[in-house]
Amino acid sequence: MQKNITKRIIYTRIFSAFLVIYLLLMTGFSIFVISEEQEVALMEFQSYAAGVNNQVTDALKNHINANNQVMDLVPLKKELIISTGYLTMFGTELAVFTGDYQLLFHTTDFWICSFPAYAEGKQLDDADYGYLNPREWFSEAQVSELENYLHADLRPKKAGDLWYYEVDLQGFWLDQEMVIPDKITVNPMYADTFDEQGNVSSGGGTHTDEIVYTSQYENTQNLPYFEHGSISPAVNSDRNSEKQAELRQLVTDEEKLKETEIMQQLERPGQRIAMTKFRYYLPMPYQNTIHVIDGQTQKSDFWTVMARDINMWERCSSTLIFVWISCLVIFLAVAFILSRQTYNTYKEREELEKQRQEMTNALAHDLKTPLSIISGYAQNLQENIHTEKREHYAGHIQANVDRMDKIIRGMLEMTRLESDSLQMILEELSLAEASNEVLARYRQVCQDESIAVDIEGEAVIKADHAMMIRVIDNFFVNALENTPAGGSIGIRICGDLFEIYNSGSHIPEEHLNEIWLPFKKADLSRSHSQGTGLGLAITRTILELHGFSYGAQNSDDGVVFWFKFR
């Protein structure tokens, strides 16, 4: 239960810290991206505005006299109407003023109509253009229906599918640049043939499904009448939105134009109107030339005013969403890995602390026994009790001193092996020769206990000679201590595996991993063993230094210790 609580605390703290860092970084990154995109949008708008101003300037030159006065406003308006598609790109609204701030032309949400041009009663090859204000002649429902026909996205797949709607003017009157409709007809057009890309290459329709809208206008002004005209299908469906209406009101506001410092607007025309929305308002002088009078008043023969709203979120959303999601996944993965590693480190430190306490207790226990014996014998010697046993007491004192010395030397060896400054001398070593070298040390003990020893196989490895002799020695001593009289010990070297087997009792399965720890003994009883409890711990450290895997397992009638050297 306590471990689960600790784990939850570690994970919660690390994930919370990473989440805070993630939010701070992503917020800063988003602000940076939006600010950079704002600069890009500014440059795009200024470049676009310069191009529009040049086009307006060219149109003005065609319709002004030597005194820079407009000779006939209607032809100028019609020429600008022709360019409406370019003038209103990306939701831009535009107005043209004279030098004394009189409005000449501005973009609207009217429909653009084209019709044959006439001169002296003859039809010309060129087309003429005009505006049609549908809301002046039709109801809102009818206007909505007509706009749906104009912007229908039908995408036919086979012959006979509805292709588009042909929306035409069937008779209209012209009042300067304004078109007054007599009738508007809508004819469904159907696909007939398709090209290799699946696009409609031909089609047609009949007048049987024709829909007719009539304005009921009465010509009381003796306006010229035209038989036929068309409504441009490229009309922007957002032109009549509330946002566009605000922009049109802005660009047609002569007071706003009078108050505007042109040079400041050229440097930075953007104004924040929402969290990620900016409004760009930019007046441009005729021929890009400003006359400054008395060092303050800015004059130009004409002014072209443009405005556009730009939503930075729409421009940056795909990039920001991708980065936010990608970074979130990365942060969560890193937080999870770090949390798991931190928790594992915590468990390792907890386990090390537990091992330290156990080792301290075990060391105290192992040292306490010989110290107690030494103290007792020393006291007897001081009090001259059983003086005839003086040599016996001295011998036991020396034996226990040697035992303590052995324990301390083992601890020092463990410390040396775990030191970062330890240097190993790697050389070729025959495992069979090393095993025979170790066996020679204990051959007499084996004969006294009638223990049979067998060595089988051979392998040459790259290792530190002294350390590997110590490993085999520790394995052999452990096997010797746990083999009953008349038992057997077998050393087998095969492939990349070194095994040493001894007959005798099994090690409890739950303690197989603990025997590698300091002062942990296979029989879990120190009173029956004269070992220090450090042999297998030293062996483990040496094998880990060499990068060899190791282990112990119970066999049918004994125990096998092993290590792999490749």
Side-chain angles (χ1 to χ4, degrees), residues 252-476:
T252 56
D253 186 350
E254 62 180 78
E255 296 300 323
K256 169 72 174 177
L257 175 59
K258 292 177 182 179
E259 297 170 358
T260 300
E261 293 290 337
I262 307 302
M263 297 309 299
Q264 292 182 8
Q265 289 299 115
L266 287 172
E267 293 173 1
R268 180 166 295 277
Q271 177 186 5
R272 188 189 299 271
I273 58 175
M275 182 65 71
T276 60
K277 291 182 180 180
F278 292 83
R279 176 159 292 174
Y280 291 84
Y281 174 86
L282 183 60
M284 299 288 288
Y286 178 65
Q287 295 183 327
N288 296 314
T289 302
I290 299 175
H291 304 288
V292 180
I293 301 175
D294 299 330
Q296 185 174 6
T297 305
Q298 301 177 11
K299 296 290 291 182
S300 175
D301 294 324
F302 298 96
W303 297 101
T304 302
V305 183
M306 285 155 282
R308 178 194 295 175
D309 285 347
I310 298 180
N311 189 333
M312 296 303 169
W313 171 249
E314 292 178 355
R315 292 171 64 104
C316 306
S317 58
S318 58
T319 299
L320 291 177
I321 289 172
F322 173 78
V323 173
W324 275 72
I325 293 176
S326 300
C327 289
L328 179 61
V329 172
I330 294 172
F331 269 73
L332 290 177
V334 172
F336 175 76
I337 294 171
L338 183 60
S339 299
R340 185 175 62 179
Q341 187 63 38
T342 302
Y343 179 65
N344 289 338
T345 303
Y346 166 79
K347 288 198 301 182
E348 289 175 2
R349 292 184 62 182
E350 193 177 50
E351 186 65 27
L352 286 173
E353 180 62 21
K354 180 181 177 182
Q355 292 176 15
R356 187 191 66 78
Q357 292 178 355
E358 290 179 352
M359 188 172 67
T360 302
N361 293 335
L363 179 62
H365 180 277
D366 282 5
L367 292 176
K368 180 180 178 182
T369 300
L371 282 172
S372 298
I373 294 173
I374 292 170
S375 178
Y377 287 149
Q379 189 175 357
N380 288 340
L381 289 173
Q382 284 180 333
E383 295 176 0
N384 292 320
I385 299 174
H386 301 296
T387 55
E388 70 280 4
K389 295 184 177 181
R390 181 180 297 275
E391 291 184 5
H392 172 76
Y393 292 158
H396 275 276
I397 289 173
Q398 185 61 49
N400 282 280
V401 168
D402 291 342
R403 182 181 174 188
M404 288 191 297
D405 180 68
K406 190 176 182 181
I407 292 173
I408 292 171
R409 286 178 181 275
M411 291 294 295
L412 291 174
E413 184 175 4
M414 281 286 295
T415 302
R416 183 180 66 84
L417 290 172
E418 293 174 350
S419 171
D420 294 336
S421 61
L422 177 68
Q423 293 184 351
M424 295 192 300
I425 303 175
L426 300 179
E427 55 186 338
E428 290 188 350
L429 172 69
S430 168
L431 289 178
E433 291 180 4
S435 299
N436 282 305
E437 181 182 337
V438 171
L439 176 59
R441 301 176 186 175
Y442 304 100
R443 194 179 301 279
Q444 186 61 48
V445 178
C446 294
Q447 291 176 357
D448 293 344
E449 296 292 329
S450 300
I451 296 174
V453 180
D454 178 58
I455 299 175
E456 177 186 343
E458 168 65 306
V460 177
I461 65 173
K462 200 84 170 177
D464 186 288
H465 184 278
M467 289 186 181
M468 291 310 300
I469 291 291
R470 182 61 189 274
V471 168
I472 297 173
D473 187 280
N474 286 346
F475 274 155
F476 194 89

Side-chain angles (χ1 to χ4, degrees), residues 54-303:
N54 289 335
Q55 187 159 340
V56 171
T57 297
D58 292 339
L60 286 168
K61 288 179 179 178
N62 296 331
H63 302 281
I64 59 176
N65 56 26
N67 296 322
N68 287 336
Q69 293 179 337
V70 177
M71 296 179 291
D72 190 346
L73 186 56
V74 173
L76 172 62
K77 287 184 177 181
K78 288 187 176 183
E79 185 170 342
L80 293 175
I81 289 173
I82 297 173
S83 305
T84 298
Y86 175 68
L87 302 180
T88 59
M89 288 177 62
F90 310 112
T92 306
E93 295 293 340
L94 172 140
V96 179
F97 290 85
T98 62
D100 53 359
Y101 307 108
Q102 299 297 312
L103 182 63
L104 297 178
F105 171 83
H106 66 91
T107 52
T108 70
D109 60 348
F110 299 162
W111 295 348
I112 300 174
C113 300
S114 62
F115 47 89
Y118 291 88
E120 299 179 357
K122 295 181 180 180
Q123 182 174 334
L124 306 179
D125 292 335
D126 296 333
D128 203 352
Y129 291 84
Y131 272 144
L132 191 159
N133 183 3
R135 289 168 182 78
E136 186 175 350
W137 311 109
F138 304 103
S139 67
E140 283 296 331
Q142 290 175 319
V143 172
S144 178
E145 290 175 6
L146 285 166
E147 287 182 338
N148 289 335
Y149 290 132
L150 285 167
H151 300 287
D153 186 12
L154 300 173
R155 300 182 184 180
K157 300 296 183 182
K158 62 183 185 302
D161 286 351
L162 191 59
W163 182 14
Y164 70 94
Y165 292 98
E166 188 179 66
V167 183
D168 290 324
L169 283 164
Q170 295 298 333
F172 64 92
W173 295 272
L174 189 63
D175 184 4
Q176 296 186 351
E177 78 279 5
M178 297 303 298
V179 171
I180 302 174
D182 184 4
K183 291 187 296 184
I184 295 179
T185 60
V186 179
N187 286 294
M189 306 298 287
Y190 299 91
D192 188 10
T193 60
F194 295 79
D195 60 19
E196 294 179 355
Q197 287 74 36
N199 300 317
V200 180
S201 56
S202 67
T206 63
H207 292 281
T208 56
D209 298 328
E210 184 178 74
I211 304 170
V212 180
Y213 295 83
T214 306
S215 68
Q216 305 300 327
Y217 172 75
E218 294 183 4
N219 184 13
T220 59
Q221 303 179 48
N222 198 26
L223 298 175
Y225 185 81
F226 294 80
E227 295 292 336
H228 179 77
S230 62
I231 300 173
S232 172
V235 176
N236 189 336
S237 60
D238 294 330
R239 298 298 299 163
N240 59 354
S241 67
E242 184 177 345
K243 179 190 75 172
Q244 295 302 127
E246 291 179 4
L247 290 174
R248 279 192 289 274
Q249 183 177 0
L250 179 65
V251 297
T252 56
D253 186 350
E254 62 180 78
E255 296 300 323
K256 169 72 174 177
L257 175 59
K258 292 177 182 179
E259 297 170 358
T260 300
E261 293 290 337
I262 307 302
M263 297 309 299
Q264 292 182 8
Q265 289 299 115
L266 287 172
E267 293 173 1
R268 180 166 295 277
Q271 177 186 5
R272 188 189 299 271
I273 58 175
M275 182 65 71
T276 60
K277 291 182 180 180
F278 292 83
R279 176 159 292 174
Y280 291 84
Y281 174 86
L282 183 60
M284 299 288 288
Y286 178 65
Q287 295 183 327
N288 296 314
T289 302
I290 299 175
H291 304 288
V292 180
I293 301 175
D294 299 330
Q296 185 174 6
T297 305
Q298 301 177 11
K299 296 290 291 182
S300 175
D301 294 324
F302 298 96
W303 297 101

